[in-house]
Amino acid sequence: MPDLHPDLAILAPLLGTWAGAGAGEYPTIDSFGYREEITIGHLGKPFLTYSQRTRATDDGRPLHAETGYLRLPAPNRIELVVVHPTGVTEIDEGALSVEGDDLTIEVVSTAIGLTSSAKSVTALSRSLHLTGDQLSYRLAMAAVGEPLTHHLAATLHRQPG
């Protein structure tokens, strides 16, 4: 694997595979539990790759997947570009902060793209917090006529390898 691009050194603690459990809820669906795996990698260019997959905790069926990129356009600023197989694309922008060994990312959508068959999603926000080998996040979504509302929360742990 190529060396990490020097502009991304602050994000190096995110590299690797993360797995754990989460819970989802939304006013229009039943609450659910899920198992998740996220892999964050790099190609030596000034961005990180991001891949996420979830499965239901009750029967192991696939639930969701998304793929994207993390970019640092300026100090303390971060961009997340994500594509969902449901016909949704999101561009999120926000802040990156580091205090000691803690890394926090707070982003909100600046653009949402929808295919003609996608459900209506009008806004997303994500909050990620990394402390050591634990990555936790919260995601809020405005969709199908509902305002920006809590949707997902999970705690993941760095996997060996």
Side-chain angles (χ1 to χ4, degrees), residues 70-96:
L70 288 155
R71 300 169 8 108
L72 295 175
N76 302 318
R77 299 296 300 165
I78 192 160
E79 298 172 346
L80 174 64
V81 179
V82 179
V83 61
H84 304 254
T86 56
V88 175
T89 60
E90 69 180 278
I91 297 173
D92 302 328
E93 297 183 43
L96 166 70

Side-chain angles (χ1 to χ4, degrees), residues 4-155:
L4 181 65
H5 192 281
D7 291 352
L8 301 177
I10 196 167
L11 295 180
L14 288 172
L15 293 171
T17 299
W18 304 84
E25 60 187 74
Y26 205 68
T28 60
I29 61 172
D30 291 334
S31 297
F32 60 96
Y34 60 93
R35 300 284 308 158
E36 178 167 21
E37 184 174 287
I38 293 175
T39 301
I40 299 174
H42 71 93
L43 304 171
K45 303 291 273 175
F47 59 85
L48 295 182
T49 60
Y50 163 82
S51 175
Q52 179 265 17
R53 307 287 180 267
T54 59
R55 293 191 169 272
T57 53
D58 58 359
D59 63 5
R61 73 188 179 285
L63 291 177
H64 183 71
E66 53 190 46
T67 300
Y69 301 94
L70 288 155
R71 300 169 8 108
L72 295 175
N76 302 318
R77 299 296 300 165
I78 192 160
E79 298 172 346
L80 174 64
V81 179
V82 179
V83 61
H84 304 254
T86 56
V88 175
T89 60
E90 69 180 278
I91 297 173
D92 302 328
E93 297 183 43
L96 166 70
S97 62
V98 178
E99 286 188 34
D101 292 335
D102 291 355
L103 185 143
T104 300
I105 295 171
E106 300 278 348
V107 294
V108 296
S109 57
T110 58
I112 302 283
L114 303 172
T115 65
S116 61
S117 64
K119 288 185 181 178
S120 173
V121 176
T122 55
L124 291 155
S125 70
R126 297 174 186 246
S127 175
L128 294 91
H129 186 78
L130 174 65
T131 300
D133 288 335
Q134 181 174 297
L135 177 65
S136 58
Y137 73 84
R138 297 181 64 80
L139 181 141
M141 176 174 69
V144 296
E146 297 291 332
L148 194 62
T149 303
H150 170 72
H151 180 41
L152 303 170
T155 300

